[in-house]
């Protein structure tokens, strides 16, 4: 999901023709009260509703061959060869960054790294538990290793994820199906002498969110929710544990402000301080896009680069 600017509209000064940009689903106008506040990555002016049209006038810039409206997915429409994106949804990036790496930062890797650095602010020596070792979860692992966490526990039902996770920094692995009579939280509490300092839920299930909370340490354990609950179920927690000091926080896009933090992540990569290369597991042409979805459903893919053929 990376683009070269073909042209710009009236009053657009932030980017110009020929600039390299990354489209992002989260608006960042830079002028509203939320954009100016370091506590939030929301945008008061344009909001964060994942609607299917242009943010300023509610129209669409796409038509099919019959003139019918084609919806503008996540305000980005990255599967199209050309797209029209509001300037609040693009981040100008360095031409030094290899083009196939840029798309990793529009979501996924940025979400996991941002959650560790900005939302949790993981300290040296901390214990970290990561529920779900997909791209977001492994990005959490990478960032936790950068922060010099003493133990990074990966939790996943796919046993192959342990060997993969070790490449990114996982020190220990838990497969919930192998826990026998014990719950996942009991196993993690035994491994961490009372519970992990930080638990990250990267799956999107209320049940694993509760597991993450129950796996965190009493008194100060912090659970960060990155997954979007796919069934719309409520999260049920033990209020006594909350009163005892545990916390839960949500994190949309890892808490990052796109126009500020994505260029920072790019500099980290160019300085060889952030691993992006290992997140690319496959490459396919646009004609084989269904293969990319097959890899995803089979659990074989982290990020698959889809190349447009000209």
């Amino acid at each position: 999901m990376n683009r070269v600017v073909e042209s710009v509209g009236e009053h657009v000064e932030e980017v110009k023709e020929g600039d390299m940009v990354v489209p992002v689903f989260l608006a960042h106008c830079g002028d509203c009260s939320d954009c100016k506040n370091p506590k939030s990555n929301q945008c008061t002016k344009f909001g964060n509703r994942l609607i299917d049209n242009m943010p300023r006038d509610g129209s669409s810039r796409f038509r099919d061959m019959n003139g019918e409206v084609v919806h503008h997915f996540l305000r980005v429409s990255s599967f199209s060869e050309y797209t029209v994106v509001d300037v609040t949804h693009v981040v100008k990036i360095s031409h030094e960054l290899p083009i196939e790496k840029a798309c990793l930062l529009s979501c996924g890797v940025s979400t996991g790294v941002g959650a560790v650095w900005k939302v949790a602010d993981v300290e040296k020596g901390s214990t970290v538990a990561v529920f779900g070792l997909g791209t977001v979860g492994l990005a959490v692992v990478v960032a936790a290793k950068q922060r010099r966490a003493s133990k990074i526990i990966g939790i996943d039902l796919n046993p192959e994820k342990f060997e993969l996770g070790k490449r990114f920094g996982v020190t220990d692995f838990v497969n919930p199906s192998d826990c026998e009579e014990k719950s996942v939280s009991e196993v993690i509490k035994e491994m961490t002498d009372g519970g992990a300092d930080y638990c990250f839920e990267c799956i999107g299930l209320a049940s694993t969110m509760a597991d993450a909370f129950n796996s965190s340490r009493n008194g100060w354990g912090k659970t960060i929710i990155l997954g979007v609950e796919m069934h719309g179920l409520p999260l049920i927690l033990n209020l006594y544990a909350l009163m005892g000091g545990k916390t839960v926080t949500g994190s949309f896009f890892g808490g990052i402000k796109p126009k500020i933090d994505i260029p920072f992540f790019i500099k980290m990569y160019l300085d060889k301080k952030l691993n992006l290369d290992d997140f690319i597991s496959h490459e396919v042409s646009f004609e084989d896009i269904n293969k990319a979805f097959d890899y995803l459903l089979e659990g074989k893919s982290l990020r698959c680069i889809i190349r447009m053929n000209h």
Side-chain angles (χ1 to χ4, degrees):
M1 194 192 302
N2 39 273
R3 306 281 183 177
V4 176
V5 176
E6 187 269 340
S7 60
V8 298
E10 189 178 2
H11 306 305
V12 174
E13 298 178 353
E14 185 177 328
V15 296
K16 64 183 184 303
E17 181 181 337
D19 282 345
M20 186 79 72
V21 296
V22 170
V24 291
F25 69 92
L26 186 68
H28 185 185
C29 76
D31 296 322
C32 69
S33 57
D34 275 302
C35 283
K36 291 179 178 179
N37 194 318
K39 296 180 180 180
S40 171
N41 69 343
Q42 306 301 295
C43 179
T44 308
K45 188 173 182 179
F46 291 98
N48 62 5
R49 292 179 298 121
L50 304 182
I51 57 178
D52 55 9
N53 50 35
M54 300 298 291
R56 295 177 193 261
D57 61 8
S59 68
S60 172
R61 298 295 190 266
F62 293 100
R63 297 288 189 277
D64 64 16
M65 61 185 298
N66 298 317
E68 298 294 326
V69 168
V70 176
H71 293 296
H72 199 141
F73 184 61
L74 295 181
R75 296 176 173 173
V76 168
S77 294
S78 61
F79 284 172
S80 58
E81 192 170 3
Y82 289 87
T83 188
V84 182
V85 181
D86 193 280
V87 70
T88 60
H89 288 273
V90 293
V91 177
K92 184 178 177 179
I93 63 174
S94 170
H95 281 270
E96 295 180 59
L97 182 68
I99 194 167
E100 69 274 11
K101 306 299 190 306
C103 61
L104 298 172
L105 295 172
S106 61
C107 192
V109 175
S110 294
T111 300
V113 174
V116 172
W117 283 76
K118 296 178 69 77
V119 181
D121 194 17
V122 171
E123 308 97 343
K124 176 183 176 182
S126 300
T127 54
V128 173
V130 185
F131 289 74
L133 296 179
T135 297
V136 174
L138 290 172
V140 169
V141 171
V142 167
K145 182 179 179 180
Q146 288 176 326
R147 283 298 185 99
R148 301 173 70 182
S150 62
K151 188 185 289 287
I152 304 173
I153 305 168
I155 302 97
D156 203 291
L157 288 169
N158 184 350
E160 297 178 4
K161 289 295 181 72
F162 186 30
E163 290 303 317
L164 176 64
K166 285 195 292 187
R167 288 180 13 215
F168 289 85
V170 169
T171 61
D172 301 84
F173 184 75
V174 174
N175 187 331
S177 62
D178 295 336
C179 290
E180 299 178 349
E181 301 298 321
K182 296 179 180 179
S183 66
V184 171
S185 60
E186 289 173 329
V187 171
I188 292 175
K189 284 180 178 179
E190 290 177 1
M191 297 171 69
T192 55
D193 191 27
D197 298 314
Y198 297 96
C199 292
F200 295 84
E201 202 280 346
C202 309
I203 298 171
L205 290 171
S207 58
T208 53
M209 294 173 188
D211 284 340
F213 177 78
N214 293 332
S215 301
S216 65
R217 181 174 293 273
N218 288 327
W220 69 72
K222 187 170 186 177
T223 300
I224 298 90
I225 306 297
L226 300 178
V228 178
E229 219 299 323
M230 59 187 77
H231 304 299
L233 296 176
L235 176 58
I236 301 174
L237 303 176
N238 184 322
L239 293 180
Y240 288 105
L242 280 174
M243 293 174 67
K246 285 189 179 188
T247 59
V248 180
T249 184
S251 176
F252 199 58
F253 202 14
I256 73 166
K257 292 182 180 292
K259 295 178 188 289
I260 296 173
D261 294 310
I262 288 178
F264 174 70
F265 293 154
I266 291 172
K267 186 178 187 306
M268 288 179 64
Y269 172 77
L270 294 175
D271 291 342
K272 302 187 185 305
K273 295 179 180 179
L274 177 61
N275 174 14
L276 294 179
D277 299 18
D278 288 345
F279 284 96
I280 300 175
S281 56
H282 298 82
E283 290 192 23
V284 299
S285 65
F286 188 75
E287 286 79 1
D288 293 323
I289 190 172
N290 286 337
K291 287 184 180 179
F293 288 105
D294 290 339
Y295 294 144
L296 181 66
L297 294 172
E298 293 167 4
K300 297 179 179 178
S301 175
L302 289 178
R303 279 295 182 262
C304 181
I305 302 298
I306 300 170
R307 295 191 179 276
M308 297 286 186
N309 293 332
H310 296 281

